[in-house]
């Protein structure tokens, strides 16, 4: 892969609430390569959406980006003027949200809105833009695109609205499409169609796709690389196949073990991760996963692990990593995933 | 045995059927504007055996929640019958029906909306016991603490309010409330759909443990087919107010007999890149039709990849019939699936 | 039942501590200067009214405790009225009347409007249709007009004024409660309660009412000054509480004839009245902001 099209360096985004400062994104760094499809997974509240919004400088109040860089074509997006940033949004980087209803204007016809999105960045006549809008709607496989273009958003079904959003996102042939849980609100059959559409667009248009989801299956089908987020930080990243086959961070490993699978042997007990995700107002000291980690050792309680190369192209932020957990702690024989269950070293220490 | 002893279980009169729940030709039409009705549930029959978990899947709007509420008799039926242990619930009214509520409970999808924000956790869990005057005073508070412990919550939290808990913990509170009266049946309406995957696994495991321990019967409603397969003994698939397939869950997933089930299954992304990339999606054409005017004949014919049109699919409704041992499907061409 | 826990107790930490609606509302209310000031002033009015029950500087109805039209002095802080009664004493007793009318009306309004609204919203059906019809019928008619006519018909007295205001006042309360009930009855926790065998009375008074209490309190708070103002207006017209019982309205009416020589006779009750009305409105505004769930944090 050539040079990255987008480089995120030590991104920090915080929300100042009256209870204190929420470090929603805390030192996130990653590269996005042209034409690739990068997945970001993690539980809700792990900072996926805020990361995406930070890239486009759309973080809502009381949120603020307090540090880091977002390099796009030699520019640091965080340093651009508001006017320059508006140019980038929609033209170079498009965003697709979970709820298309709230991002489409309810009183304007769908086709017209797509045409408007085009006219904001391109010079062409209104009728040309409208014709292009219909083409785009056909492109995202909306049946009877001409008449659908004249419909208002509420007249479309959820799946069609999401297609219309994608059409709008594509209006200016962006280099990057950021999709934040675009299929979470949809039924599986519709989700599958939308994912296929996104995959096609990724291949045909060569736009880099950042796919944010909590669904490991979606990542498996669509993405080539994946970032796993936990409590505002990236805890593991690497090629999808490698991460699914041989996850090195205990969180990734536990997450994969906790999903029931249609292709699994039935009535194998699920291995749940005990406990709940940390409160980002007061994240745990040391490794943020340690209160729930089965393999934690003494160091995890005090020292913050950094992402290090654990396999070719694969990086994980863990003092133990799964290779060691397997070799020394019998990870594969673990029946239930409980805090500290495998290490024993730290039994009882968690309370203090 | 405290609560058990006080719950009088009327023996069904002519209890020939071993089913705990028997549903016959259930119909629910909601009024929708002038002269129109939403055919939310439209002629559904099935039964649930004691101790089993019956999964119910289908796309949103197909009538799953309505069916669950009908089984619980939380809304009146338009026509049809529901039997609990041989007693026809659809005939009971008022106090008689209320007494029957001891035997069935429901857990909702939204752990934030299903607990009264103005009540403490202890009061929420105690409510069913208070409503039926099963116990009071010290005994009641002991039972509440016991219930909290059973669902894996700290029993000392009984004075806290729901908003102090996370989603998964609130769902546990809802489960504790459902368990309070030692019900026979629990309807889980998307009980885990709003939770994160790691928390989903906790709740699924809890439900399985409770079932084993208290001999519970579940009607498990969900749109996530992989969870349903994991937890259910049998799976029932709904489409536009009708049941189109019922079978053992392993069998449903390995050899579906209805093209809709097959399409649903093909659409679930499997969290394994090697398998997922090689899978083929069974494309369904078009969108789910409106339940106000469902298609004629087989309701699925407008989207079916194997339909023979116009006859028989567009004009003859396929009956839900046995295609193999205890494997029912409603399709004229189930052999082609 | 076997006490063996099915699973181990889940990890201890519960979600970040959040204030409940009421304590959160209290915190917000305390930060609201106007509402706080209003509450302090109203407390003072209540104390004064209670004191007047057992003690006033002079007997409030005694004529000629001094020279009529006397300006405020050390003996008579607010002066003397047209027939030589002590204004401060009468003002203190007037506070009783205002509070009685204001609070009394709202208690009647609550007692009628809340149950009707609850029943209409929860059971729907014929009862709801009839209530809604009646409420809509009266919606076009100004409440003040109805109350005025009623006082004319029933004759002036404290009770009749309360009856006259409550006669239409309950409708606004019932409308509000019905709307709240309609939206609450669809909520999952109500259905859960029904599934748990709760009877309608338990659902309405145990679940629906506590959750609708915020808006009800706010509306009742705004109803108090409206009633006080109406009573003052009626007394000003001579249709209020019969003499010698003083009311801020009748005191102002008496004083208005002498406004050139002793303005204090009008100013004293007018200021007391305005401050009270303002205080109730500030408290009402504060409560509304504090109890509005959309504005939490
Ligand atoms: N408007 C906001 N005010 C305060 N905190 C916020 C706000 N939006 C998000 N957060 C915090 O940021 C964290 C990350 O949120 P988000 O990126 O939306 O998570 P995800 O998309 O992974 O579910 C959460 O813990 C949340 O508490
Ligand atoms: N109270 C109601 N009034 C009118 N229509 C309703 C009502 N409840 C459900 N419906 C309609 O019935 C259909 C089935 O709904 P539901 O049972 O909630 O589906 P599911 O749970 O499968 O998503 C939907 O079309 C829905 O709009
Ligand atoms: S009956 Fe016909 S339309 Fe219906 S599912 Fe079978 S093949 Fe398809
Ligand atoms: Mg998000
Ligand atoms: Mg539902």
């Amino acid at each position: 892969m050539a040079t990255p099209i987008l480089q995120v360096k030590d991104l920090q985004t915080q929300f100042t609430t009256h209870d204190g400062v929420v470090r929603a994104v805390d030192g996130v760094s990653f590269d996005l390569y042209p034409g690739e499809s990068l997945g970001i997974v993690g539980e809700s509240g792990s900072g996926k959406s805020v990361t995406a919004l930070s890239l486009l400088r759309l973080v809502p109040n009381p949120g603020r980006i307090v540090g880091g860089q977002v390099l796009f074509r030699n520019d640091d997006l965080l340093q651009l003027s508001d006017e320059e940033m508006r140019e980038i949004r929609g033209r170079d980087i498009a965003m697709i949200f979970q709820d298309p209803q709230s991002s489409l204007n309810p009183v304007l016809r769908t086709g017209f809105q797509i045409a408007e999105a085009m006219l904001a960045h391109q010079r062409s006549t209104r009728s040309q833009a409208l014709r292009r809008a219909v083409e785009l709607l056909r492109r995202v496989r909306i049946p009877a695109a001409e008449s659908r273009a004249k419909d208002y958003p509420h007249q479309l079904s959820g799946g069609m609205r999401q297609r219309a959003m994608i059409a709008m996102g594509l209006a200016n042939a962006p280099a990057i499409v950021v999709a934040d849980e675009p299929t979470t609100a949809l039924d599986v059959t519709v989700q599958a169609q939308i994912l296929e559409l996104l995959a096609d667009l990724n291949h045909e248009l060569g736009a880099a796709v950042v796919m944010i989801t909590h669904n490991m299956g979606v990542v498996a089908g669509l993405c080539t690389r994946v970032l796993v987020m936990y409590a505002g930080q990236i805890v593991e990243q690497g090629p999808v196949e490698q991460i699914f086959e041989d996850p090195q961070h205990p969180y990734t490993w536990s997450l994969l073990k906790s999903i029931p699978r249609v292709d699994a042997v039935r009535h194998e007990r699920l291995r749940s991760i005990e406990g709940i995700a940390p409160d980002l107002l007061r994240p745990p000291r040391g490794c943020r996963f340690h209160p729930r980690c089965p393999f934690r050792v003494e160091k995890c309680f005090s020292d913050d692990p950094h992402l290090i190369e654990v396999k070719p192209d694969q990086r994980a932020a863990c003092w133990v990593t799964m290779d060691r957990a397997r070799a020394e702690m019998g990870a594969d024989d673990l029946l239930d995933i409980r805090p500290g269950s495998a290490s024993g070293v730290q039994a009882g220490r968690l309370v203090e | 045995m405290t609560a058990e002893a006080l719950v009088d279980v009327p023996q069904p009169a002519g209890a020939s059927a071993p089913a705990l729940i028997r549903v016959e030709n259930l119909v629910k039409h909601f009024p929708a504007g002038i002269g129109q009705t939403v055919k939310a549930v439209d002629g559904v029959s099935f039964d649930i055996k004691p101790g089993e978990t019956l999964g119910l899947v289908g796309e949103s709007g197909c009538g799953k929640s309505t069916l669950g509420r009908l089984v619980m008799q939380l809304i009146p039926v338009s026509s049809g019958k529901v039997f609990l242990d041989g007693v026809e619930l659809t005939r009971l009214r008022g106090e008689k029906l209320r007494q029957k509520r001891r035997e069935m409970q429901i857990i909702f999808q939204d752990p934030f909306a299903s607990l009264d924000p103005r009540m403490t956790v202890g009061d929420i869990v105690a409510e069913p016991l208070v409503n039926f005057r099963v116990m009071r005073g010290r005994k009641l508070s002991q039972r509440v603490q016991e219930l909290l412990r059973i669902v894996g919550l700290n029993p000392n939290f009984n004075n806290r309010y729901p908003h102090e808990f996370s989603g998964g913990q609130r769902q546990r509170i809802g489960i504790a409330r459902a368990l309070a009266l030692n019900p026979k049946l629990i309807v889980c309406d998307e009980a885990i759909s709003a939770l994160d995957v790691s928390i989903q696994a906790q709740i699924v495991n809890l439900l399985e443990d409770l079932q084993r321990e208290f001999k519970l019967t579940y009607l498990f409603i969900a749109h996530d087919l992989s969870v349903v397969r994991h937890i259910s003994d049998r799976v029932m698939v709904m489409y536009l107010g009708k049941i189109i397939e019922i079978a053992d869950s392993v069998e449903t997933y390995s050899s579906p007999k209805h093209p809709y089930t097959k399409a649903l299954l093909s659409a679930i992304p499997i969290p394994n890149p090697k398998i997922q990339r090689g899978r083929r999606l069974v494309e369904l054409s078009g969108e789910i039709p409106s339940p106000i005017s469902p298609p004629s004949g087989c309701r699925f014919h407008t989207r079916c990849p194997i339909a023979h049109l116009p006859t028989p699919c567009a004009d003859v409704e396929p009956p839900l019939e046995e295609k193999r041992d205890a494997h029912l499907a409603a399709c004229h061409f189930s052999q082609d699936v | 039942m076997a006490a063996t826990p099915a699973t181990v107790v889940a990890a201890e930490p519960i979600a970040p501590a959040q204030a409940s609606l009421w304590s959160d509302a209290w915190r917000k209310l305390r930060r609201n200067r106007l509402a706080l000031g209003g509450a302090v002033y109203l407390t003072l009015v209540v104390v004064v009214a209670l004191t007047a029950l057992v003690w006033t500087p002079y007997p409030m109805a005694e004529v000629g405790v001094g020279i009529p039209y006397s300006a405020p002095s050390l003996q008579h802080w607010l002066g003397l009225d047209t027939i030589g009664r002590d204004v401060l004493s009468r003002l203190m007793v007037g506070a009783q009347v205002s509070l009685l009318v204001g609070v009394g009306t709202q208690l009647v309004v609550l007692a009628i409007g809340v149950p009707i609204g609850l029943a209409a919203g929860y059971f729907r059906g014929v009862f709801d249709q009839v209530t809604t019809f009646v409420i809509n019928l009266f919606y076009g008619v100004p409440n003040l007009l109805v109350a005025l006519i009623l006082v004319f018909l029933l004759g002036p007295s404290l009770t009749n004024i309360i009856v006259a205001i409550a006669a239409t006042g309950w409708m606004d309360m019932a409308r509000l409660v019905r709307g709240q009930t309609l939206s609450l009855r669809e909520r999952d926790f109500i259905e859960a309660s029904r599934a748990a065998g709760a009877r309608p009375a338990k659902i309405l008074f145990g679940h629906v009412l506590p959750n609708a209490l915020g808006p009800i309190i706010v509306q009742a708070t705004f109803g108090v000054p409206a009633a006080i103002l109406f009573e003052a207006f009626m007394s000003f017209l001579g249709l209020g509480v019969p003499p010698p019982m003083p009311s801020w309205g009748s005191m102002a009416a008496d004083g208005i004839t002498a406004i050139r020589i002793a303005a204090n006779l009008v100013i004293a009750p007018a200021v007391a009245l305005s401050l009270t009305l303002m205080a109730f409105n500030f408290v009402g505004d504060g409560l509304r902001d504090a109890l509005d769930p959309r504005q939490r944090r």
Side-chain angles (χ1 to χ4, degrees):
Chain A
M1 279 193 199
T3 43
I5 186 168
L6 189 79
Q7 280 183 295
V8 178
K9 294 187 173 163
D10 198 28
L11 183 68
Q12 312 230 1
T13 305
Q14 304 180 342
F15 289 87
T16 311
T17 68
H18 80 243
D19 293 325
V21 175
V22 177
R23 290 172 210 283
V25 176
D26 200 7
V28 161
S29 307
F30 64 90
D31 293 343
L32 180 71
Y33 294 93
E36 81 164 330
S37 170
L38 175 72
I40 303 183
V41 292
E43 288 175 89
S44 61
S46 58
K48 307 183 295 295
S49 296
V50 175
T51 302
L53 294 170
S54 302
L55 301 184
L56 286 155
R57 286 193 17 211
L58 290 172
V59 182
N61 274 332
R64 248 164 39 84
I65 302 171
V66 295
Q69 291 179 310
V70 178
L71 302 175
F72 174 70
R73 292 186 182 147
N74 308 323
D75 286 327
D76 181 359
L77 297 185
L78 304 184
Q79 305 302 329
L80 296 185
S81 70
D82 287 351
E83 188 48 47
E84 289 166 319
M85 195 60 216
R86 246 194 305 278
E87 281 290 303
I88 300 255
R89 267 182 231 136
R91 188 188 64 197
D92 299 308
I93 307 180
M95 179 124 184
I96 300 167
F97 294 94
Q98 172 175 343
D99 178 15
Q101 181 104 55
S102 60
S103 15
L104 288 168
N105 186 336
V107 298
L108 297 179
R109 295 175 197 280
T110 312
F112 180 78
Q113 292 190 52
I114 298 171
E116 287 283 283
M118 248 180 281
L119 291 171
H121 296 287
Q122 301 172 9
R123 293 173 58 85
S124 74
T125 66
R126 180 146 297 206
S127 64
Q128 272 174 338
L130 274 172
R131 228 173 304 130
R132 270 268 298 149
V134 174
E135 252 166 61
L136 281 168
L137 288 175
R138 205 172 291 134
R139 175 86 217 241
V140 295
R141 299 193 210 116
I142 288 188
E146 286 88 356
S147 61
R148 284 307 185 189
K150 298 197 188 87
D151 279 351
Y152 291 97
H154 73 264
Q155 293 171 296
L156 307 179
S157 68
M160 270 204 264
R161 272 200 291 268
Q162 197 54 285
R163 286 170 195 267
M165 265 310 288
I166 295 174
M168 190 168 351
L170 297 176
N172 300 298
I176 301 173
V177 175
V178 181
D180 188 0
E181 313 242 9
T183 59
T184 301
L186 305 173
D187 274 313
V188 273
T189 54
V190 186
Q191 160 171 296
Q193 294 164 2
I194 299 279
L195 290 178
E196 231 173 46
L197 177 64
L198 282 172
D200 283 357
L201 297 174
N202 180 225
H203 296 145
E204 288 169 26
L205 302 181
V209 172
V210 178
M211 180 71 184
I212 295 176
T213 175
H214 64 268
N215 188 330
M216 285 293 197
V218 168
V219 173
L222 187 70
C223 302
T224 46
R225 257 181 351 118
V226 60
L227 315 175
V228 182
M229 284 191 77
Y230 188 78
Q233 299 178 327
I234 295 176
V235 294
E236 182 153 18
Q237 67 182 65
V240 165
E241 285 178 26
Q242 216 165 305
I243 298 270
F244 277 72
E245 190 140 302
D246 190 11
Q248 284 301 311
H249 197 284
Y251 176 65
T252 320
W253 179 82
S254 316
L255 207 55
L256 287 167
K257 292 267 180 203
S258 68
I259 314 169
R261 292 169 49 166
V262 271
D263 59 338
V265 191
R266 203 177 101 79
H267 273 320
E268 193 182 352
R269 193 179 167 82
L270 296 180
R271 305 200 212 177
S272 63
I273 310 176
E274 292 297 331
I276 58 174
D279 176 6
L280 293 185
L281 269 174
R282 280 173 279 298
R285 263 164 56 81
C287 169
R288 294 188 174 183
F289 187 56
H290 89 253
R292 303 171 78 187
C293 181
F295 311 118
R296 61 191 179 201
V297 294
E298 202 128 9
K299 203 170 184 184
C300 307
F301 287 72
S302 49
D303 297 355
D304 195 0
H306 295 282
L307 277 175
I308 49 160
E309 189 118 4
V310 287
K311 296 270 154 83
D313 294 333
Q314 182 177 353
R315 290 146 70 82
C318 174
W319 295 120
V320 180
T321 72
M322 289 310 297
D323 276 349
R324 202 179 131 201
R326 270 198 198 91
E328 296 172 21
M329 303 173 186
D332 288 329
D333 306 326
L334 218 58
L335 276 179
D336 229 340
I337 302 173
R338 292 194 196 295
S341 58
S343 63
V345 199
Q346 283 301 325
R349 269 296 197 90
L350 183 61
V351 232
E352 49 137 45
Chain B
M1 283 301 132
T2 40
E4 195 85 282
L6 288 156
V7 180
D8 54 319
V9 186
Q11 281 308 305
S16 54
L20 176 70
I21 287 284
R22 165 165 230 114
V23 168
E24 284 177 10
N25 231 330
L26 209 54
V27 174
K28 180 71 191 181
H29 290 180
F30 291 107
I34 304 134
Q36 290 189 320
T37 54
V38 176
K39 298 171 180 65
V41 171
D42 210 12
V44 159
S45 307
F46 62 93
D47 38 59
I48 311 179
K49 301 186 196 83
E52 89 168 327
T53 300
L54 178 63
L56 173 55
V57 297
E59 286 170 286
S60 58
C62 72
K64 304 182 297 294
S65 298
T66 306
L67 183 54
R69 288 157 80 210
L70 287 173
V71 168
M72 297 271 306
Q73 278 296 290
L74 286 169
I75 49 173
V77 300
S78 298
S79 69
K81 295 174 180 170
V82 178
F83 296 91
L84 172 71
D85 255 344
V87 178
E88 191 184 337
L89 295 179
T90 30
R91 278 210 190 160
L92 303 181
R93 293 277 174 277
E95 183 59 20
K96 287 228 178 74
L97 179 59
R98 197 182 78 91
Q99 286 300 334
K100 278 283 161 197
R101 298 217 181 283
R102 294 175 170 209
E103 294 169 43
M104 358 171 241
Q105 286 295 315
I106 183 164
I107 306 168
F108 293 93
Q109 167 170 12
D110 185 346
F112 291 78
S114 56
L115 306 177
D116 187 338
R118 298 294 161 81
M119 283 170 83
T120 63
V121 168
D123 287 342
I124 289 171
V125 175
E127 183 177 356
L129 298 165
V130 173
N131 286 341
F132 288 103
R133 298 176 204 210
V134 178
M135 54 183 74
R136 46 198 271 212
R138 258 181 64 82
K139 253 177 129 183
L140 178 65
S141 59
Q142 275 171 3
R143 170 77 174 145
V144 167
Q145 300 210 338
E146 182 192 353
L147 284 164
L148 289 177
R149 200 165 28 239
I150 288 171
V151 298
L153 289 173
N154 185 332
N156 299 325
F157 286 171
N158 60 351
N159 286 324
R160 310 264 189 133
Y161 286 87
H163 64 253
E164 297 177 59
F165 293 85
S166 70
Q169 287 170 324
R170 286 184 212 209
Q171 209 55 301
R172 288 174 193 264
I173 299 168
I175 295 173
R177 169 176 60 191
L179 287 176
L181 291 165
N182 289 326
K184 294 178 180 154
L185 173 78
I186 296 186
V187 175
C188 307
D189 188 359
E190 310 262 8
I192 55 157
S193 308
L195 306 174
D196 269 314
V197 272
S198 75
I199 311 294
Q200 278 187 1
Q202 292 175 10
I203 302 295
V204 167
N205 286 347
L206 174 66
L207 289 172
E208 287 183 335
D209 292 343
L210 294 172
Q211 176 166 50
R212 213 171 309 119
E213 185 141 348
F214 303 118
K215 315 228 165 359
L216 294 168
T217 307
Y218 291 137
L219 175 58
F220 192 89
I221 303 173
H223 61 259
D224 182 337
L225 281 83
S226 29
V227 176
V228 170
R229 179 189 128 117
H230 175 85
I231 201 169
S232 309
D233 301 304
R234 286 191 304 147
V235 173
M236 184 155 83
V237 185
M238 263 184 107
Y239 186 77
L240 273 181
K242 291 238 176 238
I243 291 173
I244 52 104
E245 183 156 10
I246 313 182
D248 173 85
S249 68
V250 175
E251 175 138 342
T252 312
Y253 285 72
S254 58
S255 52
K257 289 275 167 256
H258 197 287
Y260 178 63
T261 313
K262 187 169 180 189
L264 268 185
L265 288 170
S266 82
I268 313 168
I270 291 177
N272 180 334
K274 287 190 181 139
I275 300 176
Q276 181 58 19
R277 299 238 171 90
R279 284 171 88 215
R280 261 195 47 243
L281 176 67
V282 180
E283 279 267 10
L284 295 182
S285 50
E287 304 255 333
I288 196 162
S290 157
I292 293 178
S293 49
S296 61
C298 173
R299 293 191 174 187
F300 186 54
H301 84 255
T302 52
R303 301 172 74 195
C304 180
I306 60 164
H308 291 222
L309 297 172
T311 16
C313 295
D315 41 41
V316 182
E317 180 171 341
L320 182 65
E321 57 189 11
E322 197 153 27
K323 302 287 177 185
R324 207 190 287 169
D325 284 347
H327 189 152
L328 283 68
C331 173
H332 293 303
F333 299 96
S334 57
Q335 72 279 2
D336 299 346
V337 174
Chain C
M1 165 179 301
T4 43
T7 46
V8 288
V9 170
E12 291 296 287
I14 59 173
Q18 278 176 14
S20 75
L21 184 75
W22 292 115
S23 60
D24 196 50
W26 173 231
R27 213 191 50 230
K28 275 202 278 186
L29 201 60
R30 260 186 335 203
R31 281 198 308 229
N32 184 334
R33 291 259 175 82
L34 283 177
L36 208 61
V40 169
Y41 172 80
L42 290 177
T43 317
L44 198 79
V45 175
V46 171
V47 169
V48 166
L50 288 177
T51 312
L53 283 178
V54 291
W55 176 84
T56 48
Y58 298 87
M60 63 90 183
E62 191 171 323
V63 180
V65 292
I67 303 157
Y69 304 112
S70 295
S73 65
L74 274 180
Q75 286 82 34
H76 303 283
W77 288 5
L78 294 177
L80 294 167
D81 72 0
T82 48
I83 49 176
R85 293 175 297 192
D86 181 53
V87 173
L88 177 61
S89 304
R90 295 181 61 73
L91 205 62
M92 287 170 72
V93 179
Q96 289 174 0
V97 173
S98 288
L99 287 180
L100 258 171
V101 169
V103 177
T105 322
Q106 287 314 304
L107 288 182
V108 178
V109 162
L110 286 171
I112 303 173
V114 170
I116 289 183
L118 284 175
Y122 189 73
F123 297 111
R124 314 292 315 269
V126 183
F127 181 72
D128 182 33
Q129 283 164 11
V130 173
T131 336
T132 312
F133 178 76
V134 171
I135 292 176
N136 285 338
L137 202 66
F138 277 88
Y139 194 60
V141 188
N143 289 354
L144 204 65
L145 193 68
V146 177
L148 209 69
I149 294 169
L150 276 175
V151 174
F152 262 120
L153 295 177
L154 299 172
S157 83
L158 196 68
T159 328
N160 288 347
I161 287 187
I162 291 179
V163 169
I165 304 174
T168 50
W170 70 268
M171 293 184 189
D172 290 332
M173 185 57 76
R175 182 201 301 276
L176 172 87
V177 175
R178 174 180 176 269
Q180 293 282 324
T181 310
L182 277 179
S183 72
L184 281 168
R185 78 197 284 271
E186 303 296 331
R187 299 268 294 272
D188 282 351
F189 68 84
I190 300 288
E191 186 143 67
S193 173
R194 227 148 47 83
R199 295 194 176 84
K202 167 78 181 274
I203 292 176
L204 285 177
F205 293 101
H207 296 289
V208 176
L209 188 56
N211 281 285
L213 217 49
I216 293 177
I217 291 176
V218 171
Q219 177 146 328
T221 311
F222 280 121
V224 171
I228 292 178
L229 185 63
F230 179 74
E231 181 276 330
F233 177 63
M234 295 304 281
S235 295
F236 189 84
L237 296 181
L239 291 167
V241 288
M245 190 69 174
S247 145
W248 292 347
S250 58
M251 286 171 70
D254 293 345
I256 203 103
T257 51
I259 194 155
R260 293 271 160 81
I261 20 179
N264 56 310
L265 295 189
V266 179
I267 291 171
V271 168
L273 181 66
S274 312
L275 284 179
T276 308
L277 299 185
M278 251 156 50
F280 271 112
N281 279 313
F282 287 149
V283 172
D285 268 334
L287 281 173
R288 184 172 50 200
D289 292 347
L291 291 171
D292 186 352
R294 278 165 306 178
Q295 299 193 350
R296 294 201 65 184
R297 319 231 120 211

